[in-house]
Structures are given as structure tokens and as C-alpha cells.
Amino acid sequence: QVQLVQSGGGLVQAGGSLRLSCAVSGSIFSIRARGWYRQAPGKQRELVAGMTSGGRTNYTDSVKGRFTISRDNSKNTVYLQMNSLKPEDTAVYYCTAAFLRSSSWGQGTQVTVSS
């Protein structure tokens, strides 16, 4: 069983930066992809950034050029570097690990961007 523990997040002014971390423990060898989702109040959860086991990345259009997903295999940790933050980036952010038939989720962390 895999556990995902998130850290980072908080309150930042527009234009600022934050970094989210997601440490994974357990059976990590079967992970096929990692990703970050977010959910704003009254909105559906959306994929922000993803990374396959081979290292390919993808981003939702609204964060391209501002957010970067990366990983440190020695620490079993995935990061989301968020730069040039905007008020519309305010949401609860969740990391996820995808397996063949299921997914595991982190506990979520609040990111609030003030204007």
C-alpha cells in the first residue's frame, strides 16, 4: 500500500512562488504516473501537472510556463514549483500516484493567492 504525504502550500501574494512536496512511501515500484490536481471552491477537481514513470510531463494550459513538476527519486518525492502565482490558482492541491487499476491521493494542501 502506498501513502502520500504532502507539505508546502500556504498564503502568498500574487506574483509570488510556492513549492509543494509529496513524499511517497510503500510499494512505489508499481507507480505508473504522478500528478498534481487542484480543486477550487465550487469547481471540479482538475489535473494541474502530471509526470509519467518515464519522466514525460504535461500541464494544464493555465499553468504552462509558470508551474513545474519534478521528482527526486532518491527521496521518493514529487514537487510542484509554482511561480508567478495568480489569485485564480487558489485551491486545495492534491498529489496523486496512479497504478494500473487504482490511484492513491495525498491529504491535500491549501494554496491561497491574494491579489
Side-chain angles (χ1 to χ4, degrees):
Q1 191 169 358
V2 172
Q3 290 186 323
L4 283 67
V5 178
Q6 297 180 219
S7 59
L11 174 64
V12 65
Q13 288 188 331
S17 298
L18 286 173
R19 189 177 79 160
L20 306 181
S21 301
C22 179
V24 183
S25 61
S27 302
I28 64 172
F29 300 104
S30 57
I31 295 176
R32 290 176 172 257
R34 304 289 304 275
W36 289 94
Y37 284 72
R38 67 185 179 188
Q39 187 165 20
K43 294 187 177 181
Q44 288 188 331
R45 191 173 295 188
E46 65 169 347
L47 176 65
V48 176
M51 177 182 282
T52 68
S53 58
R56 285 185 298 175
T57 60
N58 64 285
Y59 300 90
T60 191
D61 287 345
S62 62
V63 308
K64 286 180 180 177
R66 299 189 298 121
F67 290 12
T68 303
I69 185 171
S70 63
R71 67 187 179 192
D72 184 336
N73 290 333
S74 68
K75 298 180 180 179
N76 296 330
T77 299
V78 170
Y79 304 96
L80 184 67
Q81 178 67 42
M82 304 182 293
N83 299 327
S84 302
L85 282 160
K86 304 175 180 180
E88 51 264 42
D89 295 318
T90 295
V92 178
Y93 284 70
Y94 299 89
C95 67
T96 184
F99 304 90
L100 182 61
R101 297 184 181 87
S102 64
S103 297
S104 292
W105 294 83
Q107 78 275 20
T109 186
Q110 178 69 45
V111 170
T112 302
V113 185
S114 62
S115 58

